[in-house]
């Protein structure tokens, strides 16, 4: 399989902010809470108070009320940890990715498809402990921004961010290269997030080759994801190699490097099977193309779907707002981003109202 992926960050049009929160503590617990539907801000429920009322006698009017708040106690313990450890808290941004092109080059004997591409939190932390013989455990609070089944790699990004954070909290005992190599054991998309933001990936996606971003970071784009998701397994099940493009992915990569992103380079061999799985997705792409009247440099599906990407304009076609059929679609503007050497991705200033994910760690050793 061959594809091109870039990292991007997106603010939501409704202005809601979300974050991922990871706290490493002496309590080896994991909590992941997601919105009931994307576009809806996650609401947190506080743990119930435990109250006890006592008086010194039956006739006395003096009463003492004792209140026990588990959440407050946990936060107080975390503050105590901060005072006795070095790097005890860490906030990290977790971006999503888009496939500018995705070519299926052959069917592998192991059941995977080869991937040449420009591009699961518990697994990541368990893997890190296994590889480094660490006895650190993490409490994680996760606010999701990237929709499920969108072809945007939200889960893979979270896993990569968790690996990076765990390593930072443990004194950087592993190199970036080691983290990238280990991450392939979690999922095919995860190693890409250890690139610098633009990469050519091959194999299952785990062979990552960095290259300079060929387009401006402020190039606008929009993401349109219908409420329905595409099952990746079902999309690959319907894939027929005789119906895939024959263009060399290296030719596509060369065109992108020289002239940027255009409609002719956005070849996705998974579009046809995805449109069979979800016929309404084909209609959505066609309507975006028709309604845009050339305002986008390219309109294409990312990954195995079901997100349609429009590059070149921050404006969405009006029918997405007017037609009842599209009331529940996920709409967002997005921007490309990169990271420096030995640095993680930072939230662009233009997305301060919301972000894909942000994670906070606090740490202590298990007794």
């Amino acid at each position: 399989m061959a594809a091109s992926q870039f990292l991007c960050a997106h603010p939501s049009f409704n202005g809601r902010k979300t974050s991922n929160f990871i706290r490493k503590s002496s309590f080896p617990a994991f909590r992941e809470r997601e919105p009931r539907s994307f576009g809806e801000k996650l609401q947190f429920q506080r743990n119930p108070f435990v109250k006890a009322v006592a008086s010194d006698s039956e006739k006395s009017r003096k009463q003492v009320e004792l209140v026990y708040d588990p959440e407050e106690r946990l936060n107080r313990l975390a503050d105590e940890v901060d005072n006795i450890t070095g790097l005890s808290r860490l906030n990290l941004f977790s971006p999503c990715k888009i496939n500018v092109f995705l070519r299926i080059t052959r069917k592998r004997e192991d059941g995977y498809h080869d991937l040449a591409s420009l591009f699961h939190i518990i697994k990541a932390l368990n893997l890190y402990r296994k590889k480094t013989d660490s006895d650190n455990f993490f409490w994680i609070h996760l606010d999701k921004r990237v929709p499920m089944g969108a072809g945007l790699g939200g889960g893979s990004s979270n896993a990569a961010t968790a690996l990076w954070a765990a390593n930072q909290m443990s004194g950087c005992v592993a190199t970036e290269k080691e983290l990238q190599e280990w991450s392939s054991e979690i999922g095919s998309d995860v190693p890409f997030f250890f690139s610098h933001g633009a990469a050519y990936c091959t194999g299952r996606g785990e062979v990552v080759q960095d290259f300079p971003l060929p387009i401006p970071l402020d190039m606008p784009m929009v993401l349109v994801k219908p409420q329905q998701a595409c099952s990746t397994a079902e999309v690959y099940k319907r894939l027929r190699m005789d119906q895939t493009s024959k263009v060399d992915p290296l030719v596509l990569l060369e065109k992108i490097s020289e002239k940027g992103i255009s409609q002719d380079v956005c070849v996705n061999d998974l579009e046809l099977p995805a449109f069979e799985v979800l016929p309404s997705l084909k209609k959505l792409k066609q309507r975006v193309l028709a309604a845009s009247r050339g305002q986008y440099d390219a309109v294409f599906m990312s990954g195995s779907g079901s997100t349609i990407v429009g590059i070149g304009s921050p404006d969405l076609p009006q029918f997405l707002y007017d037609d009842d059929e599209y009331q529940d679609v996920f709409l967002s503007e997005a921007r490309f981003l990169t990271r420096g050497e030995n640095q993680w991705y930072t939230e662009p200033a233009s997305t301060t109202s919301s972000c894909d994910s942000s994670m906070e760690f606090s740490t202590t050793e298990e007794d």
Side-chain angles (χ1 to χ4, degrees):
M1 186 164 72
S4 61
Q5 295 183 174
F6 293 78
L7 283 177
C8 63
H10 62 86
S12 83
F13 286 120
N14 57 22
R16 293 170 176 167
K17 182 172 183 178
T18 58
S19 64
N20 289 344
F21 175 79
I22 302 182
R23 170 170 292 165
K24 178 186 170 195
S25 71
S26 58
F27 303 95
F30 173 84
R31 300 179 183 179
E32 179 173 350
R33 302 173 181 173
E34 298 185 4
R36 286 167 290 183
S37 63
F38 281 93
E40 175 183 359
K41 186 175 181 181
L42 185 65
Q43 299 294 328
F44 298 99
Q45 295 182 350
R46 291 177 57 86
N47 291 325
F49 293 116
V50 178
K51 295 184 178 181
V53 179
S55 60
D56 54 5
S57 70
E58 293 183 359
K59 297 182 180 180
S60 174
R61 295 183 179 179
K62 296 181 178 180
Q63 293 183 336
V64 178
E65 182 179 81
L66 302 177
V67 178
Y68 173 67
D69 182 355
E71 181 179 330
E72 181 181 351
R73 181 174 182 273
L74 182 61
N75 289 332
R76 188 165 60 250
L77 289 174
D79 291 336
E80 292 176 3
V81 168
D82 290 345
N83 294 328
I84 62 175
T85 59
L87 181 60
S88 59
R89 294 192 182 188
L90 181 64
N91 287 293
L92 293 176
F93 178 70
S94 180
C96 66
K97 61 88 178 172
I98 62 167
N99 296 84
V100 175
F101 69 78
L102 197 157
R103 280 280 293 107
I104 308 297
T105 55
R106 70 181 178 95
K107 182 73 175 291
R108 293 167 54 108
E109 294 181 0
D110 59 9
Y112 288 95
H113 291 76
D114 278 334
L115 171 65
S117 178
L118 283 177
F119 55 103
H120 316 299
I121 296 179
I122 295 178
K123 286 184 178 180
L125 297 177
N126 285 339
L127 177 67
Y128 185 81
R129 283 190 287 268
K130 175 184 176 182
K131 296 292 187 180
T132 62
D133 293 324
S134 171
D135 58 358
N136 293 335
F137 283 79
F138 302 85
W139 181 77
I140 304 175
H141 172 87
L142 172 63
D143 249 345
K144 291 290 290 185
R145 241 343 258 152
V146 181
M148 297 285 289
L152 298 175
S156 296
S157 173
N158 295 154
T161 305
L163 270 179
W164 173 273
N167 194 48
Q168 293 292 308
M169 301 303 294
S170 301
C172 297
V173 298
T175 65
E176 279 194 21
K177 187 64 176 178
E178 287 175 324
L179 293 176
Q180 187 177 57
E181 291 174 353
W182 298 347
S183 69
S184 65
E185 299 181 27
I186 304 171
S188 299
D189 275 354
V190 185
F192 164 72
F193 289 93
F194 288 97
S195 73
H196 290 163
Y200 180 70
C201 307
T202 54
R204 293 184 292 110
E206 80 282 8
V207 183
V208 181
Q209 178 183 348
D210 275 285
F211 73 90
L213 188 69
I215 53 180
L217 287 176
D218 60 355
M219 172 72 73
M221 78 179 90
V222 293
L223 308 178
V224 183
K225 193 242 176 238
Q227 190 174 33
Q228 303 91 336
C230 275
S231 165
T232 300
E234 187 63 27
V235 171
Y236 276 102
K237 182 179 178 181
R238 292 173 181 254
L239 175 67
R240 292 182 290 278
M241 295 302 297
D242 61 339
Q243 295 182 346
T244 60
S245 172
K246 306 308 176 187
V247 63
D248 188 336
L250 291 177
V251 172
L252 296 175
L253 187 64
E254 183 179 0
K255 287 184 177 180
I256 293 174
S257 299
E258 293 178 351
K259 300 181 180 180
I261 299 174
S262 58
Q263 192 66 54
D264 65 319
V265 301
C266 296
V267 177
N268 189 338
D269 286 337
L270 296 182
E271 274 198 359
L272 183 58
F275 292 164
E276 292 179 1
V277 173
L278 193 62
S280 60
L281 188 60
K282 179 179 180 180
K283 175 184 176 183
L284 174 60
K285 180 188 175 183
Q286 291 174 335
R287 291 200 65 179
V288 172
L289 273 169
S292 66
R293 297 180 181 178
Q295 74 184 72
Y296 301 123
D297 298 328
V299 176
F300 55 91
M301 184 186 80
S302 179
S304 59
S306 58
T307 297
I308 300 298
V309 181
I311 290 183
S313 172
D315 300 322
L316 284 155
Q318 189 61 38
F319 77 86
L320 292 170
Y321 299 101
D322 296 340
D323 291 9
D324 291 341
E325 179 181 355
Y326 298 107
Q327 283 187 349
D328 296 325
V329 297
F330 173 89
L331 305 174
S332 181
E333 186 182 348
R335 291 291 189 274
F336 294 107
L337 74 161
T338 59
R339 70 180 180 94
E341 192 72 28
N342 297 317
Q343 298 177 355
W344 199 243
Y345 305 97
T346 57
E347 179 181 0
S350 61
T351 64
T352 53
S353 63
S354 68
C355 62
D356 294 348
S357 301
S358 72
M359 298 183 178
E360 182 180 330
F361 277 68
S362 61
T363 184
T364 186
E365 295 286 339
E366 282 288 300
D367 294 330

